Amino acid sequence: NNSNSNNPSFAEQLEQYQKQQEQMQIEAQAEQQKLAEEQAKNVIPPNEDDHILGDKDALISIIEYSDFECPFCKQFHSTPSEILENNPDVNWVYRHFPLSFHDPLATKQALASECVADLGGNNAFWEYSDKIFETTDSNGKGMEVSELTTLAKEAGVNPNEFQACLDSEKFLAEVQADIKSGTDAGVTGTPGNIIRNNKTGEVRFLAGAYPIEAVQAAIDELK
């Protein structure tokens, strides 16, 4: 009985169905990325309130929304510095996005870094951020709170002034403002990286710890 010979077998039908599903998924992801980039255009441009590494007036900014207790942020942390070495027209903007499931430590670390910036300036902020990522094991319980003071001292800040600043939660409003600006730009997790051409306002949105090649490709597209 050859009546079924022209009909695709169940296995073939299944394969065809899976291919269609994959194609739909690819299209849905592309659509999602497009929407994400539309929303990411709302990102607040780099300004004098920001922590900026590199030329403040650079053409391109890597605006990173980060959480000191996020293992992916820890992994990604060396990438922007490497990019800056090879791209004099790029700067790195660090904004806080502590995730609630990494609290209270993640917010404490964000506040601590703001205290260090206030007491020691921009270079101390970046040095301190490096120290936190080097010290923590991530995931919300990566280090002791007392270590924040030790690291502040290492970054050249008066430990008593630092402790008073940290205990007062002086910069809580600033950290919350960063979170809000990230949320408004479509950031939901960390690291949330918005690569922005500061002349045209055009953006690329990289959600996650992308490899350096992907970050460089996004930058090259925007130049």
Side-chain angles (χ1 to χ4, degrees):
N1 178 359
N2 291 333
S3 61
N4 289 336
S5 61
N6 294 330
N7 294 342
S9 69
F10 176 69
E12 286 166 340
Q13 285 177 327
L14 191 62
E15 193 185 354
Q16 200 180 352
Y17 173 74
Q18 283 169 333
K19 276 190 182 146
Q20 283 172 335
Q21 289 297 309
E22 276 168 30
Q23 189 52 40
M24 279 162 71
Q25 210 176 353
I26 289 166
E27 284 167 16
Q29 279 169 340
E31 186 57 33
Q32 230 174 344
Q33 182 67 16
K34 222 168 77 182
L35 291 172
E37 275 170 8
E38 270 311 304
Q39 195 173 353
K41 284 180 186 167
N42 299 327
V43 74
I44 296 170
N47 58 73
E48 64 280 355
D49 294 333
D50 277 313
H51 305 292
I52 300 175
L53 196 62
D55 176 6
K56 285 194 169 26
D57 301 316
L59 173 67
I60 307 276
S61 289
I62 300 169
I63 303 171
E64 180 188 2
Y65 285 89
S66 187
D67 168 347
F68 284 116
E69 280 298 290
C70 157
F72 305 107
C73 298
K74 180 179 165 104
Q75 183 191 327
F76 182 75
H77 191 64
S78 62
T79 299
S81 321
E82 285 179 49
I83 294 266
L84 262 56
E85 279 171 30
N86 303 317
N87 298 266
D89 52 355
V90 176
N91 65 28
W92 178 15
V93 179
Y94 189 100
R95 291 178 182 167
H96 299 291
F97 205 83
L99 300 165
S100 57
F101 52 84
H102 288 155
D103 271 341
L105 185 56
T107 294
K108 263 271 193 268
Q109 290 163 329
L111 292 171
S113 71
E114 288 300 322
C115 289
V116 168
D118 188 45
L119 296 165
N122 193 48
N123 289 348
F125 169 84
W126 288 99
E127 187 188 334
Y128 191 68
S129 298
D130 291 347
K131 284 178 185 294
I132 292 181
F133 278 120
E134 282 161 20
T135 305
T136 187
D137 292 328
S138 308
N139 290 318
K141 294 189 170 50
M143 63 192 283
E144 295 298 322
V145 173
S146 60
E147 289 178 272
L148 291 171
T149 309
T150 312
L151 296 179
K153 201 172 163 183
E154 285 175 20
V157 168
N158 179 307
N160 297 333
E161 289 180 17
F162 168 81
Q163 197 61 56
C165 174
L166 185 60
D167 292 343
S168 72
E169 298 198 330
K170 181 178 174 182
F171 291 101
L172 190 58
E174 278 81 350
V175 171
Q176 287 169 338
D178 273 1
I179 296 170
K180 185 184 184 309
S181 80
T183 304
D184 291 347
V187 175
T188 55
T190 55
N193 293 296
I194 297 170
I195 320 265
R196 182 179 193 271
N197 180 315
N198 295 317
K199 271 212 176 77
T200 65
E202 202 187 334
V203 298
R204 293 287 178 274
F205 186 50
L206 303 179
Y210 275 76
I212 192 163
E213 297 78 13
V215 181
Q216 185 65 58
I219 288 166
D220 292 342
E221 277 180 26
L222 289 173
K223 283 186 185 178

